[in-house]
Amino acid sequence: MIHKKIYQLSLCYLLIINPLQAWEISGSVGIESLAFINQPLDAQQHPHYLSGVIEGELHHEWDEGNQVFAFVPYFRVSQYDNKRTHFDIRELTWVKSSQDWELRLGFRKVFWGVTESKHLVDIVNQRDSVENSDGEDKLGQPMINFAWIQEWGTLDLLLLTGFREMTFAGEQGRLRTQPSVNSDLAQFEKKGFERQVAYAVRWSHSMGDWDVGFSHFYGTSRDPLFLVKTDDSGQVSLIPYYENINQSSLDIQATIGNWLWKGEAMLRDAQSDRTFASTLGFEYTFFNIANSGLDIGLLTEYSYDSRGVFAPSLLQDDFFVGLRFALNDVQDTQILAGIMIDRVSQAQFYNIEASRRFFESFTVDIQARFFNGAPPNDPSYFLRNDSHFRMEMTYHF
Amino acid sequence: MKKILISLLFCLSPLVQADTVKGLEIMTEVEHRDLGWADMSANLKMRLKNKNGDEHERSLRMKTLEMQNDGDKSLSIFDSPRDVKGTAFLSFTHALEADEQWLYLPALKRVKRISSSNKSGPFLGSEFAFEDLSSFELKKYHYDYLGDEVINGILCFMIETQPQYEHSGYTRTLVWIDKQRYIPIKIDYYDRKNALLKTQTFDNYQQYLGQYWRVNQSLMTNHLTGKSTALIWENYQFRQGLTERQFDKNTLKRSR
C-alpha cells in the first residue's frame, strides 16, 4: 500500500515536476544528391547517388541544469553504396557538473583544435568518412571523461573505452581509393584490451587574447596505414592497419582585433615512424562592409606533415587560401570558397560550400569540390575523376 | 532684424548648450541605480519584420552575471530557428578593451573563439547590432546633457552619447532618460555619416527586487530600410546564485 503510494507520488512527480524541465525531442531529416562530373575509374561506381538521412535528439536536463542526458541516434541510407548506409549512436551520454569538475560518461563527440583546413590535433573520435569528404563528421566515442576546472584552466582526463574503425565507401561507392579498402580484413598492432582502450589528457585555458590547449593521447591510432593485399584470385585491395601511437599536440589561437592567428602542431610516435605535423595560419575578417551586414573573411593556412605522401591527409605540404562570406541576413546565408595547393606537385583542390535557411525550418547546403592536376604519386591522384556537386535539403524539427 | 535674431539665439543658447558634467552625472545615476542585481536570466523573442510585413521569429535564453569593476558576462542559447538550436554565445564584455567572445557549434561540438571587433553588424539578421545589445558600461561613452523633453507623457533628460570604444557604427546617439526612474525611454542612433539610422523605443517596464527596472518590449526601427525588430522579454529571474563557472567554456559546451 505504502509502496503504491510512493509509486503514485513518484508518478505525480514525473508528470507534474518534470514537464517543467521536460524531455525534449528534436532532430532533422534530409535528402542528399551527390553528382559526379566525370565517369568513375571503376565501372562498378555510379555517376549519381541519392541518399536520405535522419538524426534525432532526446535531451533532458535536471538538477538546475547540472545534470544532462542526451541520446542522438543517426541513420543514413544511400543508393548503391552499402557501406555508406549506416547507423550510429552519435551521443548517448550523461553529464554531471559541479563547481570545479564535470563528469561526462557514454558515447560522446569531442572537438579539439582551432584551424579550418585541417583538424590535426582532433584525435578523440573516429572520423565518419563515408558521411562527407570534408571529414568533419565523426562517430560517437564511448568514454569516461573527468574535467577538473580550476583558475589555471581545465584538465580533461579521458578513458576511451572501445575502438571504432574508420568507415570507408563500398565497392560501388564514391569517393574511394582505387582499389577499394577492405575493412573486414583490418589489422591491428595491439590485441584485445590494449587495442580497445585509449587514454588522453588535455589542458586547455583562455588567457586574455589567447586560447591554448595541450594534449597527449596514447592508444590505437584513429588514422590507419594501408597495406596492399592480393588475394588468391588476384584481386588487389587495401587493408587498414591501425598502429599504437603516442601523440602530443598543441593548439593555440590569438584573437587580436579582426585577426585570428591559429596554430596546431603534433608529434606522433608509432612503430612505423616518428611524425611531426603542423598547420599554421590566420583569418582576417572585414565586418559589416558598407553597413550591408556582409562579413568577408580571408583565410590562409599552411600544413606540413613529415610523412609526405604517406600522410593520412591530402594536406602534407599544402597551402590553403579561402574566402568566407557571411551575409548575416534573415536566411543566414553563408559561403566558403577555398583552394588547396600542394607546394611540390601543384595538385589543386577547389571547394565551395554554401548554406541558407528557407521557410523557417528548412536549410539547403550546396558543396562543389574539384580535384585537378594531381600527378600519379600524389595522394589525391585516386580522386582525379571524383570532382562532384553535393546538395542536401534538411528539415529541422 | 538679423541682430535681434542673433541676440535671441544668444539668450536661448544656455538652455540648449551641451552640459558634459550634468550628462555624466545623470548617466552615473543610471548606472548606480542598476547596481547589485548580481545575476539575471530571461527568455528573449525577436520578431523581425521587413517592409512587406514578412515576419521571422527567433528565440533565445540569456543569462547574465554582474561583474565588479568590469563589463558583465553573458551566455545566450538559441532555441529557434530550429537549425541553429543549441548554438550558444559566450561573451565577457569590457568597457574599452575588446570583449572576449566564444561561439559553440553543437553539430561539431566545437567552441570557436571569435573576433569581437564586429560591433556594428546585425545580431541574428535583426535590426539590433551587437553593440546595441551589449552591457551598459559608463566608460563606453562621452555624455552631453542637452535639456529636458517629454516623450510619451514621460518627462525625460535628453542626453547625447558618443561611443569611446572602437568599431562602433555610430557617431552618436540621443538617449531620453526618464527623470523619475532613470531608465531609457527612447534612443535615436546616428550612423557614421551622422544621419538618423534607427530609433529604439522601450515599452512596459517592470520593477524587480524593488529596485531594478526591466523592459518587457523594445522596438528597433530602421529608417533607411523600413525593417524593424521587436524584442520581447519574458520570465526575468534574479539572484539565482550564478557564478563565473556558469559562464565558462565547459558550461558553454553543455548548453542547449
Side-chain angles (χ1 to χ4, degrees):
Chain A
M1 193 61 199
I2 290 171
H3 275 109
K4 200 170 178 185
K5 242 192 186 139
I6 289 173
Y7 173 74
Q8 278 172 346
L9 268 174
S10 56
L11 199 68
C12 279
Y13 172 80
L14 279 173
L15 289 175
I16 295 163
I17 310 292
N18 263 353
L20 294 173
Q21 310 154 334
W23 291 83
E24 226 181 84
I25 295 174
S26 57
S28 60
V29 193
I31 181 158
E32 180 206 61
S33 158
L34 190 59
F36 292 83
I37 297 165
N38 302 311
Q39 285 302 312
L41 291 172
D42 186 329
Q44 295 180 81
Q45 295 175 301
H46 302 265
H48 181 256
Y49 298 78
L50 264 182
S51 157
V53 63
I54 181 163
E55 183 177 77
E57 172 155 12
L58 181 65
H59 187 90
H60 183 47
E61 251 182 59
W62 69 102
D63 186 14
E64 292 174 334
N66 288 317
Q67 296 194 62
V68 178
F69 169 84
F71 175 46
V72 183
Y74 183 90
F75 181 65
R76 179 177 289 279
V77 56
S78 173
Q79 198 182 12
Y80 309 129
D81 187 351
N82 61 341
K83 290 287 168 67
R84 195 165 183 237
T85 295
H86 67 300
F87 172 79
D88 186 41
I89 296 174
R90 295 293 202 231
E91 281 179 77
L92 178 58
T93 180
W94 170 69
V95 179
K96 161 85 183 152
S97 86
S98 183
Q99 185 60 30
D100 46 17
W101 56 265
E102 281 186 22
L103 182 64
R104 308 158 184 151
L105 302 182
F107 285 76
R108 296 178 55 78
K109 264 200 283 190
V110 171
F111 184 93
W112 293 349
V114 292
T115 53
E116 300 298 325
S117 59
K118 190 175 172 184
H119 303 312
L120 191 63
V121 310
D122 187 31
I123 194 177
V124 171
N125 291 75
Q126 180 59 271
R127 261 182 302 191
D128 191 356
S129 56
V130 295
E131 257 313 290
N132 190 317
S133 51
D134 64 11
E136 300 248 308
D137 295 277
K138 293 182 207 166
L139 299 172
Q141 168 68 46
M143 68 177 76
I144 301 168
N145 172 202
F146 179 79
W148 192 29
I149 300 151
Q150 293 292 315
E151 285 281 300
W152 42 260
T154 298
L155 188 70
D156 276 296
L157 304 171
L158 297 103
L159 182 67
L160 308 170
T161 54
F163 176 73
R164 306 205 58 188
E165 291 177 41
M166 193 178 269
T167 53
F168 298 99
E171 288 283 321
Q172 294 190 49
R174 284 169 98 171
L175 304 50
R176 68 163 167 85
T177 54
Q178 306 289 347
S180 64
V181 175
N182 187 344
S183 43
D184 296 338
L185 299 174
Q187 293 180 20
F188 300 86
E189 183 186 333
K190 300 281 182 181
K191 302 274 176 293
F193 184 84
E194 276 189 290
R195 161 183 152 187
Q196 291 298 339
V197 176
Y199 312 85
V201 54
R202 175 176 172 85
W203 168 80
S204 57
H205 196 34
S206 297
M207 293 157 286
D209 297 335
W210 299 83
D211 287 62
V212 184
F214 187 78
S215 322
H216 188 83
F217 172 94
Y218 172 75
T220 304
S221 170
R222 273 54 184 148
D223 290 321
L225 299 172
F226 294 99
L227 311 171
V228 181
K229 185 165 173 163
T230 315
D231 67 11
D232 300 337
S233 62
Q235 178 93 25
V236 181
S237 62
L238 295 177
I239 310 294
Y241 175 62
Y242 295 92
E243 287 187 298
N244 206 55
I245 59 161
N246 260 299
Q247 175 171 318
S248 300
S249 64
L250 172 73
D251 54 276
I252 190 161
Q253 181 177 322
T255 308
I256 299 160
N258 299 36
W259 293 93
L260 310 180
W261 294 95
K262 298 171 171 191
E264 295 188 13
M266 68 96 165
L267 255 178
R268 168 191 292 223
D269 252 320
Q271 211 176 34
S272 61
D273 70 351
R274 167 177 286 194
T275 306
F276 168 75
S278 71
T279 301
L280 298 167
F282 68 81
E283 178 166 354
Y284 183 90
T285 308
F286 300 91
F287 290 110
N288 195 19
I289 293 168
N291 283 320
S292 60
L294 170 69
D295 300 336
I296 298 181
L298 176 67
L299 295 86
T300 302
E301 287 176 3
Y302 170 72
S303 287
Y304 172 78
D305 191 307
S306 65
R307 286 168 290 192
V309 293
F310 298 107
S313 158
L314 300 180
L315 293 166
Q316 16 70 26
D317 188 359
D318 291 65
F319 284 97
F320 163 75
V321 183
L323 278 173
R324 194 201 297 279
F325 300 85
L327 269 61
N328 294 304
D329 53 350
V330 171
Q331 293 84 9
D332 202 14
T333 311
Q334 300 190 36
I335 301 163
L336 176 67
I339 172 170
M340 292 174 193
I341 304 173
D342 190 285
R343 193 181 63 85
V344 179
S345 76
Q346 312 285 312
Q348 307 123 49
F349 168 55
Y350 301 87
N351 181 33
I352 301 167
E353 304 178 1
S355 66
R356 187 172 212 256
R357 176 187 308 123
F358 63 100
F359 301 148
E360 286 299 283
S361 297
F362 289 85
T363 51
V364 59
D365 286 271
I366 296 170
Q367 287 151 12
R369 300 202 163 116
F370 308 108
F371 302 92
N372 186 38
N377 66 340
D378 191 276
S380 62
Y381 183 65
F382 66 84
L383 297 171
R384 65 192 177 277
N385 278 19
D386 282 339
S387 294
H388 63 275
F389 292 94
R390 178 180 175 273
M391 184 168 108
E392 189 161 59
M393 252 167 41
T394 311
Y395 170 68
H396 304 265
F397 59 92
Chain B
M1 188 62 197
K2 213 174 187 182
K3 244 181 191 166
I4 297 168
L5 205 69
I6 288 168
S7 56
L8 249 173
L9 276 174
F10 267 105
C11 287
L12 283 171
S13 62
L15 290 175
V16 291
Q17 200 171 45
D19 188 335
T20 304
V21 176
K22 191 166 178 190
L24 183 62
E25 261 173 27
I26 292 162
M27 294 313 286
T28 305
E29 181 64 15
V30 168
E31 190 188 48
H32 183 74
R33 290 198 187 190
D34 201 51
L35 286 180
W37 44 267
D39 62 71
M40 178 182 96
S41 70
N43 297 347
L44 178 58
K45 271 202 180 74
M46 303 183 95
R47 263 190 212 128
L48 284 55
K49 230 187 219 174
N50 68 14
K51 239 196 293 192
N52 306 327
D54 299 333
E55 269 196 36
H56 295 274
E57 196 170 280
R58 277 117 187 67
S59 55
L60 49 142
R61 285 162 287 146
M62 261 178 115
K63 287 177 181 167
T64 313
L65 183 70
E66 189 182 19
M67 300 295 289
Q68 303 294 327
N69 307 317
D70 199 355
D72 298 339
K73 293 189 174 184
S74 76
L75 177 65
S76 312
I77 305 160
F78 305 138
D79 287 328
S80 78
R82 312 292 302 183
D83 60 294
V84 294
K85 183 177 167 58
T87 303
F89 177 64
L90 177 66
S91 170
F92 298 175
T93 62
H94 303 295
L96 296 178
E97 295 149 60
D99 295 348
E100 294 159 65
Q101 296 176 344
W102 294 265
L103 194 64
Y104 173 63
L105 306 167
L108 304 176
K109 304 285 163 200
R110 180 175 183 181
V111 171
K112 255 184 166 179
R113 174 78 180 262
I114 57 172
S115 168
S116 63
S117 299
N118 188 10
K119 302 271 189 205
S120 65
F123 180 75
L124 290 178
S126 75
E127 296 313 308
F128 284 85
F130 282 88
E131 61 188 312
D132 305 341
L133 293 166
S134 75
S135 80
F136 171 68
E137 306 300 324
L138 203 56
K139 283 184 206 152
K140 280 187 176 179
Y141 306 92
H142 170 85
Y143 307 96
D144 285 313
Y145 166 71
L146 300 184
D148 293 348
E149 225 175 79
V150 176
I151 300 286
N152 300 332
I154 300 166
L155 187 58
C156 293
F157 300 115
M158 189 179 158
I159 312 261
E160 184 182 86
T161 74
Q162 287 159 5
Q164 301 296 296
Y165 53 87
E166 281 185 286
H167 310 296
S168 176
Y170 312 122
T171 45
R172 62 188 179 111
T173 66
L174 284 181
V175 187
W176 284 265
I177 301 285
D178 181 341
K179 281 183 109 166
Q180 292 265 305
R181 299 176 293 177
Y182 282 83
I183 48 178
I185 299 298
K186 182 179 148 180
I187 305 176
D188 277 344
Y189 297 86
Y190 290 83
D191 67 15
R192 286 182 193 136
K193 291 173 214 135
N194 203 16
L196 178 62
L197 178 67
K198 300 188 292 191
T199 297
Q200 184 180 8
T201 55
F202 300 79
D203 305 306
N204 201 357
Y205 274 101
Q206 219 173 315
Q207 198 174 31
Y208 295 87
L209 306 176
Q211 183 179 353
Y212 309 108
W213 291 96
R214 289 293 178 273
V215 75
N216 289 332
Q217 204 164 337
S218 180
L219 182 72
M220 182 74 90
T221 310
N222 188 317
H223 301 296
L224 280 185
T225 61
K227 292 184 195 169
S228 70
T229 300
L231 287 188
I232 296 127
W233 297 86
E234 280 166 353
N235 196 21
Y236 280 111
Q237 288 185 313
F238 293 85
R239 292 186 188 155
Q240 291 175 300
L242 301 182
T243 65
E244 286 182 68
R245 170 73 172 89
Q246 271 83 48
F247 298 85
D248 72 0
K249 284 202 272 181
N250 290 296
T251 300
L252 184 62
K253 279 186 247 182
R254 217 160 19 87
S255 326
R256 204 202 131 101

